[in-house]
Amino acid sequence: MKKYILNICILASLVIPIACNDALDVAPDGRLSLDKVFQDPELTKAYFSTCFDYLPKKGLRYHFWSNYPVALSDEAWDCTDGSGGGFAHAASGNCTTTDFYLDVRRDMGDTFSEGGYWQLYWGQIRIINNFLQRAATASISNETDRDRWIAEAHILRAYFYMELLKWYGPVPIEREPYGLTYNFSTLHRPNFEECARFIVEDCEEALKSDNLPWRLTTLNEKIRMTKGIALAIRSEAALFAASPYNNGGKDIWEWAYTINKDCLDQLLANGYELYTTCVDKAKYYNNAYMEYFTLNNYIGTSPSDKETIWQSTEGFWPDPYTNPLYDVIGAPVLGNAQLTIVPSQELVDAYDMLATGKPVLNLEKPYLDEKHLSPNYNPGSGYDVDNPYEGRDPRFQATIFYNNSPVLLGNSPAFVETYVGGNSEIRSSGNTNTRSGYYWRKRMVNGNCKAAGVAGYDGRFRFYRLGKIYLNLAEAAIESGHLNEGLTLINTIRHRAGFAPAVDVTASTKEGARLLLRHERQVELACEEDRFFDVRRWTPANENIENEKFTTGMKITKVGSDFKYERILLGTDGTNPSKMSYEKKWHVYPIPATEVSILEEKTGKIWQNAGW
């Protein structure tokens, strides 16, 4: 904020470098005042294109192909634990406001990592506000473009604000650029609800546009905004605002329900739908959920993927920079070069039994001990401790490589062996083999692997998809007392996964339905960066994030033709937590110390997040 907001004197003689942005295929050069820029149609177009700078890549782009929110949640571990990198820094409790390794944007050679959101996103908000302030009178070639660009700017501002909210908590609401006479001593942090309602307002303003499309139909516009994206951000903002950590003790679930119901209804009425039919079963895609995440064809006049609302542009031709997923989160049998995040036993435990539809563990108290080494099994689920991977929710096989998972090496069938001595055995150190006994499969295209000399793009990261909106509404419905509607939405998602209606989940109380909803989000949204934020918004501010304190894996030993299973702790011998990021201050990131110093000097108020 120091660079982009508080040094407001630069607005008097602002000069901007106009950068090339392939979204609009423009590349003007030179340095001009904003008045000059907005008097020229091409420069106005170029300035608008800079509103799209710093859109996220997410996925494995945090630093050297790791994923911090996945790794620090209870669904994963990171095999860079011995590197001294971001995950190790956080897990060991060494992060401070002046040395916060997780939130630093790094040059990775020919690209940049994710991070540095505070400074980058405030910069984007300032650029967008400049555009919105002048767009009505700016020199724009036609009114159709003017209307669409204004709508897209509102969506982009909503997105950048939503990201700041998720990572740092409430932030000042800047509706227009601060002028030279602005009194910065009055700057303050509103509450979460006020920020969320501002985001919802931006999205609703964008939705008024008749020129904003519902979906993108050409790759030339691959990073442009749509009405679908506006609804997804609007849905998320309302859901987060109503959640326990953010609501300030105020019950606004009915508002969140109304917003989310409208969002889902509009998406369904305008061509979005769940991906329910598996096409390429020859590649072991034995369910639609598995195949869905390998697809990259949500853009077009009639795409086969109508579930994706917004997807990373990484890997869209002709973008040459993307590692195939197997290379950095796949098993050694696939020919991986290194390994970063791997699934946890906690996530594996979350997949229900297909035949009965029942969870393996008691949802209210899944473990009998703090360290998660003593599971509290759910009677009558059908789970067999001697065959732990048999008969599980099909999303388990779609998401995780476990011991004896079938896989293709090119066109040749093989198996991932995670047992001690297997082709992808568990190891306690090194950067190629799993610590937990599992590898990620989600988004991997079967057959892509270095071991068979076959490379190719795997599925890209989804920022928003319709399945998430179903569960957003389900949560808001349950919390606002519309239990049957919420349960119906959950069961719709489970039907796509492969569960029969005969084993639909039911609940007679809000508490029971809440457990089912949170359980379903854990499974359906695994490895999509949702679990990290979900658990934090569900956990009261004065409580530690206990389910992340200890992380476990499964060590498997082959004895003859049988296997012996042993739950093990990761990253600790049990005397210390696996991840110090379970502490309550980790609900949000710290605001950078240099920014806090300036803000506190200007306002005389405390700005740093609690505990940091």
Side-chain angles (χ1 to χ4, degrees):
M1 188 175 286
K2 173 179 65 177
K3 178 178 179 181
Y4 292 107
I5 295 179
L6 295 181
N7 288 354
I8 203 67
C9 61
I10 65 173
L11 286 178
S13 56
L14 180 66
V15 292
I16 58 168
I18 306 295
C20 175
N21 189 304
D22 63 1
L24 296 176
D25 194 26
V26 291
D29 54 23
R31 292 174 176 268
L32 299 169
S33 69
L34 280 179
D35 286 340
K36 293 290 186 182
V37 167
F38 285 103
Q39 290 170 10
D40 182 285
E42 287 304 310
L43 294 182
T44 299
K45 184 178 182 181
Y47 187 91
F48 171 63
S49 75
T50 65
C51 295
F52 292 81
D53 288 350
Y54 306 118
L55 285 178
K57 295 179 175 66
K58 303 294 184 181
L60 299 176
R61 296 301 296 277
Y62 283 85
H63 185 50
F64 287 110
W65 307 284
S66 190
N67 184 303
Y68 294 149
V70 170
L72 294 174
S73 74
D74 63 348
E75 67 183 1
W77 188 259
D78 196 322
C79 296
T80 66
D81 50 5
S83 70
F87 171 78
H89 218 223
S92 61
N94 289 326
C95 289
T96 67
T97 58
T98 57
D99 186 19
F100 197 75
Y101 196 98
L102 296 176
D103 195 24
V104 178
R105 190 167 186 258
R106 295 173 176 82
D107 187 340
M108 296 169 64
D110 51 359
T111 187
F112 282 89
S113 67
E114 286 287 286
Y117 296 138
W118 181 269
Q119 190 174 68
L120 293 178
Y121 287 178
W122 274 120
Q124 287 307 106
I125 289 167
R126 174 180 163 220
I127 288 169
I128 292 165
N129 281 342
N130 281 328
F131 174 79
L132 287 172
Q133 185 182 56
R134 297 165 182 261
T137 58
S139 182
I140 297 176
S141 298
N142 61 76
E143 292 307 307
T144 297
D145 281 348
R146 187 190 311 276
D147 181 65
R148 182 180 177 184
W149 294 1
I150 290 172
E152 289 186 84
H154 279 289
I155 298 171
L156 289 166
R157 184 168 69 177
Y159 175 74
F160 290 124
Y161 259 107
M162 190 68 223
E163 285 294 289
L164 287 171
L165 262 184
K166 288 163 69 174
W167 290 108
Y168 305 103
V171 292
I173 295 172
E174 183 185 344
R175 295 180 181 274
E176 56 187 31
Y178 295 126
L180 292 174
T181 60
Y182 185 80
N183 181 2
F184 284 96
S185 67
T186 65
L187 200 65
H188 74 286
R189 296 183 81 174
N191 61 41
F192 198 105
E193 181 188 348
E194 290 172 306
C195 293
R197 286 185 183 272
F198 173 60
I199 292 168
V200 168
E201 175 188 315
D202 254 347
C203 293
E204 290 175 347
E205 186 63 31
L207 290 165
K208 295 176 184 177
S209 170
D210 292 331
N211 298 299
L212 183 69
W214 276 100
R215 66 166 63 249
L216 300 177
T217 58
T218 171
L219 283 175
N220 291 336
E221 295 189 331
K222 63 187 179 183
I223 68 169
R224 300 290 293 275
M225 296 292 102
T226 67
K227 289 188 176 182
I229 296 172
L231 288 170
I233 297 171
R234 180 175 175 245
S235 164
E236 185 173 67
L239 181 76
F240 274 58
S243 301
Y245 178 70
N246 301 320
N247 64 24
K250 184 179 177 182
D251 186 348
I252 54 173
W253 278 114
E254 188 64 32
W255 172 72
Y257 166 74
T258 301
I259 292 290
N260 272 276
K261 186 170 180 59
D262 179 68
C263 290
L264 182 58
D265 286 348
Q266 287 200 58
L267 288 166
L268 292 174
N270 287 280
Y272 289 92
E273 57 187 55
L274 293 177
Y275 188 85
T276 58
T277 303
C278 183
V279 176
D280 193 357
K281 295 185 178 180
K283 285 193 171 183
Y284 293 155
Y285 300 143
N286 59 2
N287 60 78
Y289 181 89
M290 178 186 285
E291 184 175 62
Y292 165 66
F293 288 100
T294 69
L295 304 176
N296 291 309
N297 59 345
Y298 81 106
I299 294 177
T301 55
S302 184
S304 59
D305 169 13
K306 296 179 181 179
E307 178 168 348
T308 299
I309 299 170
W310 187 19
Q311 179 173 302
S312 171
T313 61
E314 287 289 281
F316 275 113
W317 185 260
D319 181 358
Y321 190 85
T322 291
N323 279 311
L325 293 174
Y326 66 76
D327 202 41
V328 291
I329 61 174
V333 70
L334 300 176
N336 69 354
Q338 66 179 76
L339 190 63
T340 56
I341 54 172
V342 292
S344 67
Q345 183 61 44
E346 284 75 9
L347 177 60
V348 172
D349 288 340
Y351 290 92
D352 293 351
M353 301 304 296
L354 180 62
T356 65
K358 293 183 177 181
V360 170
L361 305 183
N362 180 294
L363 295 185
E364 189 172 359
K365 185 182 174 76
Y367 302 99
L368 299 173
D369 68 322
E370 181 186 44
K371 298 174 184 176
H372 300 178
L373 297 175
S374 298
N376 187 13
Y377 292 113
N378 184 31
S381 71
Y383 178 74
D384 182 353
V385 293
D386 294 321
N387 294 286
Y389 310 131
E390 295 298 315
R392 307 291 289 276
D393 180 338
R395 289 172 294 186
F396 172 52
Q397 187 181 36
T399 304
I400 295 171
F401 283 124
Y402 51 90
N403 189 47
N404 276 345
S405 287
V407 67
L408 289 176
L409 304 184
N411 293 318
S412 301
F415 295 91
V416 177
E417 300 168 348
T418 65
Y419 61 84
V420 175
N423 60 30
S424 302
E425 67 175 345
I426 187 173
R427 293 180 185 173
S428 59
S429 62
N431 65 350
T432 58
N433 287 63
T434 179
R435 302 280 191 278
S436 67
Y438 306 101
Y439 301 87
W440 290 109
R441 181 177 200 153
K442 197 170 191 176
R443 302 198 302 274
M444 288 188 187
V445 173
N446 244 351
N448 283 359
C449 66
K450 191 181 297 181
V454 179
Y457 290 128
D458 292 315
R460 300 296 146 245
F461 186 86
R462 273 82 165 154
F463 304 128
Y464 296 109
R465 61 184 179 89
L466 191 65
K468 185 188 295 188
I469 310 304
Y470 267 88
L471 294 178
N472 288 357
L473 175 56
E475 181 173 354
I478 288 167
E479 295 294 350
S480 59
H482 306 278
L483 263 61
N484 289 338
E485 182 178 359
L487 292 168
T488 297
L489 291 161
I490 292 172
N491 284 318
T492 299
I493 294 296
R494 288 168 67 86
H495 294 164
R496 189 267 291 274
F499 286 96
V503 295
D504 280 356
V505 296
T506 62
S508 58
T509 66
K510 181 186 291 189
E511 291 73 21
R514 179 186 296 137
L515 287 174
L516 291 170
L517 178 282
R518 294 182 178 184
H519 178 63
E520 191 63 26
R521 285 186 71 94
Q522 180 181 15
V523 170
E524 173 71 16
L525 305 178
C527 200
E528 297 184 45
E529 299 189 15
D530 290 282
R531 182 69 175 172
F532 179 86
F533 295 107
D534 278 351
V535 172
R536 279 154 180 75
R537 67 184 176 84
W538 292 332
T539 304
N542 62 345
E543 295 182 13
N544 290 329
I545 308 162
E546 291 293 337
N547 62 312
E548 293 176 4
K549 188 173 184 178
F550 290 98
T551 305
T552 61
M554 184 69 80
K555 180 179 179 181
I556 304 174
T557 307
K558 192 170 185 180
V559 182
S561 59
D562 297 325
F563 294 104
K564 177 184 176 183
Y565 301 91
E566 177 189 1
R567 291 174 181 259
I568 58 171
L569 285 169
L570 302 183
T572 181
D573 60 3
T575 58
N576 296 303
S578 297
K579 300 171 185 175
M580 289 303 299
S581 51
Y582 84 98
E583 293 177 333
K584 59 187 176 184
K585 69 179 183 179
W586 277 90
H587 277 83
V588 288
Y589 276 9
I591 298 172
T594 53
E595 309 296 333
V596 167
S597 176
I598 294 173
L599 286 165
E600 292 184 349
E601 178 187 349
K602 295 289 184 180
T603 66
K605 303 170 186 174
I606 295 175
W607 280 79
Q608 190 55 272
N609 289 321
W612 288 103

